Amino acid sequence: MTEAAALAEADTIFICVPTPVDDDLRPDLTYLRAACATVVEQARAGQLILLTSTTYVGTTTDLLTQPLWDRGLVPGDDVFVAFSP
């Protein structure tokens, strides 16, 4: 089993990765995009996914909720998603 595949066995997943800023103080979401994509790939019904990385409004929808919908998992029914700053 790969490390990423172990996520499918977890009931709760916390995503907390660095979100550095560039010289213009814009957040660099490279790490966050990669982490969320891995979690969405491994997500299964019944999980709680918590995004705790510092980021801007809409990131949870863009990187978790919509991709989960695209995979056929209905947030709020199949899988639960939350943001905690």
Side-chain angles (χ1 to χ4, degrees):
M1 175 184 316
T2 66
E3 289 178 27
L7 291 169
E9 295 182 20
D11 291 327
T12 303
I13 299 170
F14 288 84
I15 302 170
C16 184
V17 295
T19 49
V21 294
D22 64 17
D23 292 336
D24 296 320
L25 302 179
R26 290 181 301 228
D28 176 356
L29 301 182
T30 303
Y31 302 117
L32 188 56
R33 287 182 195 283
C36 287
T38 299
V39 168
V40 167
E41 254 178 34
Q42 301 299 323
R44 62 162 172 78
Q47 286 181 316
L48 169 62
I49 302 170
L50 296 161
L51 176 57
T52 63
S53 296
T54 304
T55 189
Y56 55 85
V57 174
T59 304
T60 306
T61 299
D62 294 345
L63 299 183
L64 290 174
T65 305
Q66 188 58 52
L68 288 165
W69 270 103
D70 295 345
R71 274 207 53 226
L73 293 168
V74 178
D77 283 338
D78 299 322
V79 65
F80 302 90
V81 178
F83 174 74
S84 176

